[in-house]
Amino acid sequence: MTTAALSNVDLEIGGMTCASCAMRIEKKLNKLDGVTATVNYATEKAQIAVDGDLDTSVLITEIENAGYTAKLPAPPAAATGAENVEPAARAERAPASRSDDPELRSLRHRLIGSIVLSVPVILMAMVPPLQFTYWQWLSLALAAPVVVWGAWPFHRAAWVNLRHGAATMDTLVSLGTGAAFLWSLYALFFGTAGMPGMTHGFSFAIEPSDGAANIYLEVAAGVTMFILAGRYFEKRAKRAAGTALRALLELGAKEVSVLRAGAEVSIPIADLRVGDEFIVRPGEKIATDGVIVSGASAIDQSMITGESLPVDVVEGDGVTGATINEGGRLIVRATRVGADTQLAQMAKLVEQAQTGKAEVQRLADRVSGIFVPIVLVVAVLTLGTWLVLGFPASAAFTAAVAVLIIACPCALGLATPTALLVGTGRGAQRGILIKGPEILESTRRVDTVVLDKTGTVTEGRMSVVEVVPEAGTDARDLLRIAGAIEDASEHPIARAIAKAALHPHEGSENVASRGPDAADTDPSWRGGAVESFQNVEGRGVTGVVEGRAVVVGRASLLEDWAIHPSQALLDAKASAEASGQTVVLVGWDGEARGMIVVADRVKSTSAEAVASLRALGLTPVLLTGDNRSAAQHIAALVGIDEVIAEVLPADKAGVVSRLQTEGRVVAMVGDGVNDAPALAQADLGMAMGTGTDAAIEASDITLVRGDLRAASDAIRLSRRTLSTIKGNLFWAFAYNTAAIPLAALGLLNPMLAGAAMAFSSVFVVGNSLRLRRFK
């Protein structure tokens, strides 16, 4: 164990059987000085914040003293460097499948054994013709293993809790089944129930019971069977709910081919270091986050972003670990490895969200924490009241046992964590990372969504949108020659023109007609070598291309060279600039040849995304530092009515604050460093995953895809998850509120109570699993 100062500690907890267990551990840990702990029953994990120096062994000992087990999670390297460890260690570290989970396997064996033994006991008790002479003794022989062995996990947990002065759901189950079994033993050995020919009837009717039944073996065995079934399916469902996170952790490559001294060497991924150059062949996974130093390809990023279309990448582009190379051979330089990669950070975000608690869950936890002692008091009062009113002891006992069994607060404890587990897991699969459960509450109240323009609504990079030649000039020649001279410049506008010249099919329609491979199949399409290149700061560039003296830039630069565009070209220039676009004029050999219009393109999905946000009842607002005419042009293209333009980066948070003072609940979507304060100020901050780390850190939800449609998906998923939680809680509260009085009044026999209790838990988990179908 480490003795270093800790800030955050995650522990895996074993032995929890209900929400009351999680509440107990939480209370124990929070009593320690400087410790703030959150324990989640569904994920079986504790998130602990420590203020000061504290040995992790102290935390583990405290949990073990409460009757549970605790250990530090396996290090991330265990999941990636599997080839470097012994098979036994690898098996221990790997996420357990359903078939090799010891707890699940034990539950399955106990459940199967209990079904085989309990069904004959229940049938004999329910069907009088099956009650042959001495049938009650066969029932005892069959029921005893169920109550002792099948229900052993409940008895053991109840005893551990009793030693620590606590009571949980297991206490109720153990008391209920144990009391039914012991009563039956008393009746068989010391009463008349063991006499030959003894019979009794059984009814499923919800009606007062006179307690005429002499033995309760069918109750003891049946309740055990039903609750084991509920526990087993609950455990399976919890594992299914966590598959998204486990899938994320298992996505990464296991081995990587690195270049060492010019030779290719295969090493485990755990040995890869920042700065290493590695090879990715077609069809292989990219080993870690990096930058392409050689090659071009298409990358399938669907497992990270949820986006099905491959993305083209070239030298200098960044790539993400675990994505798949679908095209050519790449050489990539590693920039982040291990826990620093985007995949690892995604997994961490999902795990933190699943371990946290929404406000509604904290209420449910408080109720569960005091629920069990109250139920024990109600059961004792029920027994005493029935006896005082003169009813038979067997009838009083029946009602008290039914109260104990029906009251198990399992559904209450599972209502929030299972929905959260499934919802955040499904979000991760779709490229939506929800940082914490409290975020769900914010999505319900949001009525205004502020959209940063650059990089959110638009592509965030300049590109050629139109090429307008003067009369007698070919548009392709205009772009080719301008691209050749701009290729020598590093200015973003110059880079956009140079790229369009090399890939004209990606530019405007009037130069795309040559087809997608024109730049590759026709060498003449590329510009020639540039001579006498000169950059005129802030105005443009000049040089000689193919023997022509070329000038590219502002109108003032062309005027210096006595080049005067036609009135038609000037009118087209004014029109483009009025809509917020940038115009570059081109001339050579003393004549104006045309203009190239450059702009930050609107993303193809932005209009659809804005319509989706409106459909959710949100008012979209465009926020930008651009001039008003450019902003209004972009807003009109995507369907936004409200525009806030010419805002300095430092003032964006102030704009959000002003909207909030107007009574609006504001969501902010952005991607840049300058958006971080506004994202933090907003009631709900959503960062585009293609943006900066600062923006992502300040946000509540990260949209891994650079697609604004993910914002509406995130809000829909969050709202759906929240409504599922509330539905679960309503069912759990309503069930316990209605069932306990019925049981106390003797209107519910204990076996039906056990079946109903088990069904309520399975219902809650099943309802949560519907979120896996979210589209």
Side-chain angles (χ1 to χ4, degrees):
M1 299 297 172
T2 179
T3 56
L6 304 171
S7 54
N8 289 287
V9 180
D10 290 340
L11 293 177
E12 294 177 356
I13 309 295
M16 291 193 296
T17 55
C18 68
S20 300
C21 298
M23 195 72 174
R24 277 194 60 222
I25 298 171
E26 215 170 84
K27 284 182 178 177
K28 283 270 189 185
L29 291 173
N30 285 329
K31 286 180 181 177
L32 296 173
D33 289 340
V35 172
T36 305
T38 299
V39 180
N40 191 305
Y41 169 50
T43 58
E44 297 177 338
K45 288 184 179 176
Q47 257 188 355
I48 307 166
V50 181
D51 183 13
D53 295 342
L54 191 66
D55 197 303
T56 52
S57 62
V58 174
L59 301 172
I60 293 174
T61 301
E62 192 70 17
I63 295 170
E64 289 175 343
N65 288 341
Y68 305 92
T69 63
K71 64 178 181 179
L72 290 165
T80 55
E83 292 73 11
N84 253 0
V85 297
E86 293 298 321
R90 188 185 314 156
E92 181 182 338
R93 292 173 177 181
S97 67
R98 287 181 187 170
S99 59
D100 62 16
D101 183 335
E103 186 179 352
L104 197 63
R105 187 168 62 248
S106 173
L107 270 175
R108 184 169 61 249
H109 291 162
R110 292 179 196 275
L111 174 60
I112 293 171
S114 296
I115 291 172
V116 170
L117 297 172
S118 298
V119 169
V121 176
I122 295 168
L123 288 176
M124 284 189 288
M126 289 173 59
V127 185
L130 296 179
Q131 295 170 4
F132 57 89
T133 306
Y134 298 122
W135 69 274
Q136 65 272 43
W137 295 102
L138 176 60
S139 292
L140 175 63
L142 294 173
V146 177
V147 176
V148 176
W149 170 74
W152 177 247
F154 311 127
H155 303 319
R156 181 183 59 212
W159 171 245
V160 169
N161 289 319
L162 181 64
R163 284 171 47 208
H164 295 90
T168 66
M169 187 196 89
D170 296 290
T171 309
L172 302 183
V173 176
S174 183
L175 276 176
T177 56
F181 186 69
L182 292 174
W183 178 278
S184 300
L185 287 179
Y186 173 82
L188 284 169
F189 287 99
F190 300 102
T192 58
M195 299 296 290
M198 186 279 286
T199 61
H200 67 68
F202 183 90
S203 173
F204 274 111
I206 298 178
E207 59 187 16
S209 169
D210 61 3
N214 298 99
I215 58 173
Y216 291 92
L217 292 171
E218 78 281 359
V219 170
V223 165
T224 299
M225 178 183 71
F226 282 125
I227 295 179
L228 275 174
R231 186 73 60 84
Y232 174 71
F233 288 114
E234 170 195 317
K235 179 78 175 174
R236 271 177 56 111
K238 280 162 61 178
R239 287 193 57 76
T243 52
L245 178 58
R246 288 196 298 277
L248 270 181
L249 293 170
E250 293 169 4
L251 275 177
K254 301 296 185 289
E255 287 191 342
V256 57
S257 298
V258 296
L259 293 173
R260 297 274 167 86
E264 186 178 328
V265 182
S266 181
I267 63 171
I269 187 68
D271 294 343
L272 189 65
R273 298 292 178 262
V274 172
D276 283 347
E277 291 187 359
F278 59 92
I279 296 169
V280 188
R281 295 177 177 82
E284 290 183 344
K285 285 182 180 178
I286 294 174
T288 192
D289 298 359
V291 174
I292 297 173
V293 295
S294 175
S297 183
I299 302 297
D300 178 1
Q301 298 181 332
S302 57
M303 68 287 295
I304 299 292
T305 66
E307 184 59 58
S308 57
L309 293 176
V311 176
D312 290 331
V313 292
V314 295
E315 185 177 321
D317 286 345
V319 290
T320 305
T323 55
I324 298 173
N325 177 21
E326 292 195 340
R329 181 178 183 270
L330 299 175
I331 298 178
V332 180
R333 182 187 303 112
T335 56
R336 291 188 290 193
V337 297
D340 296 328
T341 63
Q342 183 176 349
L343 180 67
Q345 293 299 319
M346 281 177 65
K348 186 66 176 174
L349 277 175
V350 175
E351 191 168 13
Q352 286 173 350
Q354 292 178 345
T355 307
K357 294 183 182 179
E359 191 57 39
V360 285
Q361 173 63 17
R362 297 191 182 280
L363 171 63
D365 280 352
R366 288 195 293 271
V367 172
S368 293
I370 61 173
F371 193 71
V372 175
I374 290 174
V375 168
L376 293 174
V377 172
V378 171
V380 171
L381 288 175
T382 299
L383 179 65
T385 302
W386 278 66
L387 291 174
V388 168
L389 293 177
F391 286 94
S394 55
F397 171 76
T398 301
V401 170
V403 167
L404 289 175
I405 292 166
I406 199 71
C408 298
C410 214
L412 198 60
L414 288 170
T416 296
T418 48
L420 195 62
L421 198 64
V422 182
T424 53
R426 181 58 178 159
Q429 291 176 326
R430 303 300 303 161
I432 299 164
L433 304 182
I434 302 170
K435 283 194 176 177
E438 64 281 353
I439 306 308
L440 303 177
E441 301 280 0
S442 301
T443 61
R444 179 175 57 85
R445 302 192 306 271
V446 165
D447 55 31
T448 302
V449 57
V450 175
L451 305 174
D452 172 59
K453 181 180 78 70
T454 306
T456 302
V457 175
T458 65
E459 296 283 359
R461 61 180 183 272
M462 304 300 272
S463 57
V464 173
V465 295
E466 191 177 10
V467 177
V468 182
E470 288 275 32
T473 302
D474 184 78
R476 293 171 295 182
D477 282 343
L478 178 67
L479 182 61
R480 178 174 63 84
I481 292 172
I485 195 167
E486 291 284 35
D487 192 44
S489 172
E490 293 299 323
H491 192 279
I493 292 176
R495 304 310 305 158
I497 295 173
K499 181 179 179 182
L502 281 175
H503 304 283
H505 59 287
E506 296 178 7
S508 57
E509 292 181 4
N510 60 350
V511 294
S513 57
R514 287 180 64 96
D517 299 319
D520 298 319
T521 58
D522 182 0
S524 69
W525 183 248
R526 300 174 183 271
V530 180
E531 300 172 12
S532 305
F533 174 81
Q534 186 174 1
N535 180 35
V536 183
E537 191 66 36
R539 298 173 68 198
V541 294
T542 63
V544 178
V545 178
E546 299 175 358
R548 299 167 175 172
V550 182
V551 182
V552 180
R554 295 177 181 268
S556 61
L557 180 62
L558 268 69
E559 288 173 4
D560 289 350
W561 286 71
I563 297 175
H564 305 288
S566 67
Q567 188 58 47
L569 193 66
L570 291 175
D571 290 344
K573 173 178 177 291
S575 175
E577 289 176 338
S579 63
Q581 297 172 320
T582 299
V583 175
V584 176
L585 294 171
V586 182
W588 62 75
D589 294 342
E591 292 185 25
R593 303 294 178 170
M595 72 178 192
I596 299 172
V597 183
V598 180
D600 185 1
R601 282 182 190 273
V602 172
K603 291 180 181 177
S604 60
T605 57
S606 291
E608 181 186 342
V610 169
S612 298
L613 291 168
R614 286 188 182 279
L616 291 170
L618 304 176
T619 302
V621 177
L622 187 67
L623 178 66
T624 179
D626 280 358
N627 65 72
R628 179 161 297 278
S629 62
Q632 287 177 333
H633 175 71
I634 296 294
L637 290 176
V638 298
I640 296 176
D641 300 325
E642 190 172 347
V643 177
I644 302 175
E646 300 173 8
V647 178
L648 293 174
D651 296 336
K652 287 186 176 182
V655 170
V656 172
S657 180
R658 177 169 59 78
L659 291 172
Q660 290 170 327
T661 58
E662 294 173 4
R664 302 202 204 184
V665 181
V666 180
M668 168 78 186
V669 186
D671 74 328
V673 172
N674 58 2
D675 296 324
L679 289 166
Q681 173 66 38
D683 298 283
L684 177 68
M686 291 187 279
M688 306 297 275
T690 50
T692 64
D693 290 343
I696 292 170
E697 186 64 31
S699 67
D700 301 309
I701 295 176
T702 301
L703 311 174
V704 180
R705 310 198 306 266
D707 185 341
L708 190 55
R709 290 177 299 181
S712 60
D713 288 345
I715 292 175
R716 283 196 304 114
L717 175 62
S718 298
R719 288 181 175 179
R720 181 86 58 84
T721 303
L722 185 63
S723 65
T724 301
I725 288 172
K726 291 187 172 179
N728 286 348
L729 284 172
F730 171 79
W731 168 261
F733 273 117
Y735 163 80
N736 281 306
T737 303
I740 291 175
L742 284 176
L745 293 172
L747 300 177
L748 211 56
N749 75 59
M751 193 170 71
L752 281 180
M757 191 282 297
F759 171 76
S760 71
S761 296
V762 174
F763 172 86
V764 162
V765 175
N767 188 43
S768 300
L769 287 174
R770 291 189 306 123
L771 288 167
R772 296 172 75 186
R773 298 197 296 270
F774 176 85
K775 298 293 185 183

